[in-house]
Amino acid sequence: MNIILMGPPGAGKGTQAEKLVEKLGLVQISTGDMFRAAMKENTDAGVRAKSFMDQGLLVPDEITNDIVKERLLQGNFGNGFILDGYPRNVFQAESLEKISEELNIKIDAVVNIDVDFEKLIGRLSGRRICRSCGATYNLKFKPSKVEGVCDKCGGELYQRSDEDEETVKTRLNTYVEQTQPLIDYYTNKGELININGDQAMDDVFNDIKTQLEK
Ligand code: ADP
Ligand code: AMP
C-alpha cells in the first residue's frame, strides 16, 4: 500500500509515519528529512535547498521532484511507502502522477491529517527530534523519559532551526497558500481520506488504520 500523508506543519505526519512504519511495515519517504540529510552532507540539492528551508519557503519544485523521483527509482519499499510532506503544491501533485506512471507505481490513498491552526504553533515549539534515529518527541505531549535523550537509541534531541516563531508563521502561510489547495485537488479526484488529528496520537493512528483497511 502506497500512501500520501498530508497536513499542515505540526499536524502529526512524522509521528503517524513512525507508527505506520513500525506497525504496517511501510517505508517513510519524507522530503523534509531528505533535505535535512542533504544539507548535512552538503550535497548540491542540500546547498540549493538551505536558503528556502531557513526562510520557511518551499524548495523549488524541480529540486524536490528530482529527489523524490530518485528515491522512488531506488525501490525497496517493504509493504509500501508513505510520502510524508510531498506533494506540497498542485504542480508537485501533477509531477507525482507523471513519475508514478513512468515507474508503474500506484498511490492507493491520500490521508489528510486535520488539526486546528491554533494548536499547531504549540506543537511545533515543543517538537524535539533525535539527531541519530530521527524519532519525534514533544516537550509537552510526548516527552522523552530523560530530558534531551532519545528513548529509542540514546541519541541527542534537538530543536529544528526552522522552528522559531517567525519561520513557523511563514511555514504556516506557505501551507495555506500552496499546500492547502491540494485538499480540494484530491477531494475532487475522490481520493482524500480526512482524519481528525486533534486527538491522542494513538487514536489518530487507529483512525488512519481503520480508514486504510476499508
Ligand atoms: P509534522 O510531521 O506533521 O510536521 P510531527 O509528527 O513532527 O508533525 O508532530 C509535531 C509535534 O506535535 C511533535 O512534537 C509531536 O510529538 C507532536 N504531536 C504529534 N501528534 C500529536 C497529537 N495527536 N497530539 C499532541 N501532540 C502531537
Ligand atoms: P518538513 O520537514 O516537512 O516540515 O519540511 C521542512 C522544509 O523542507 C519545508 O519548510 C520546505 O522548505 C522543505 N520541503 C519539504 N518538503 C517539501 C516539498 N514537497 N516541496 C518543497 N519544499 C519542501
Side-chain angles (χ1 to χ4, degrees):
M1 168 169 318
N2 302 321
I3 66 173
I4 294 172
L5 205 47
M6 274 179 39
K13 300 181 294 295
T15 302
Q16 297 304 325
E18 225 173 285
K19 291 179 189 291
L20 288 161
V21 167
E22 212 176 284
K23 309 227 158 104
L24 303 186
L26 302 180
V27 169
Q28 179 187 14
I29 301 178
S30 155
T31 39
D33 285 352
M34 289 197 286
F35 283 134
R36 279 182 288 276
M39 266 162 57
K40 213 166 133 188
E41 289 159 20
N42 255 316
T43 65
D44 265 7
V47 171
R48 291 171 72 195
K50 186 175 182 337
S51 63
F52 298 97
M53 291 179 75
D54 285 348
Q55 293 177 77
L57 303 173
L58 292 189
V59 174
D61 292 332
E62 169 218 335
I63 305 174
T64 309
N65 289 330
D66 278 356
I67 64 156
V68 171
K69 185 171 179 186
E70 212 174 284
R71 175 62 191 92
L72 291 177
L73 266 168
Q74 287 168 6
N76 210 359
F77 300 134
N79 291 335
F81 60 76
I82 309 153
L83 283 172
D84 164 3
Y86 178 91
R88 249 170 155 109
N89 60 31
V90 171
F91 182 73
Q92 290 182 10
E94 289 169 351
S95 303
L96 175 62
E97 277 153 33
K98 287 191 197 123
I99 296 170
S100 304
E101 218 170 285
E102 241 178 274
L103 304 184
N104 204 12
I105 284 170
K106 184 170 177 290
I107 303 291
D108 299 291
V110 182
V111 175
N112 179 50
I113 308 180
D114 189 27
V115 176
D116 272 354
F117 258 61
E118 310 88 77
K119 300 250 166 80
L120 298 175
I121 293 177
R123 284 191 186 186
L124 291 170
S125 61
R127 169 156 65 185
R128 296 293 181 272
I129 298 168
C130 174
R131 233 181 250 292
S132 305
C133 74
T136 301
Y137 295 86
N138 191 286
L139 295 181
K140 189 166 166 197
F141 304 111
K142 190 187 173 189
S144 56
K145 291 193 184 100
V146 178
E147 201 185 321
V149 180
C150 178
D151 293 348
K152 292 188 177 163
C153 76
E156 180 202 359
L157 303 186
Y158 77 101
Q159 181 171 28
R160 274 169 50 171
S161 59
D162 62 354
E163 228 114 78
D164 60 285
E165 207 180 312
E166 202 189 324
T167 316
V168 163
K169 275 192 197 146
T170 309
R171 285 167 54 209
L172 291 173
N173 283 335
T174 303
Y175 170 80
V176 170
E177 284 167 15
Q178 301 195 49
T179 311
Q180 200 155 270
L182 284 180
I183 294 180
D184 281 346
Y185 180 87
Y186 286 118
T187 303
N188 291 338
K189 285 175 172 280
E191 291 172 2
L192 197 81
I193 297 173
N194 250 312
I195 299 288
N196 173 14
D198 196 1
Q199 327 176 57
M201 295 172 202
D202 285 342
D203 294 334
V204 178
F205 179 71
N206 286 333
D207 281 3
I208 294 176
K209 196 164 157 272
T210 307
Q211 290 297 325
L212 290 179
E213 279 164 359
K214 279 187 186 168

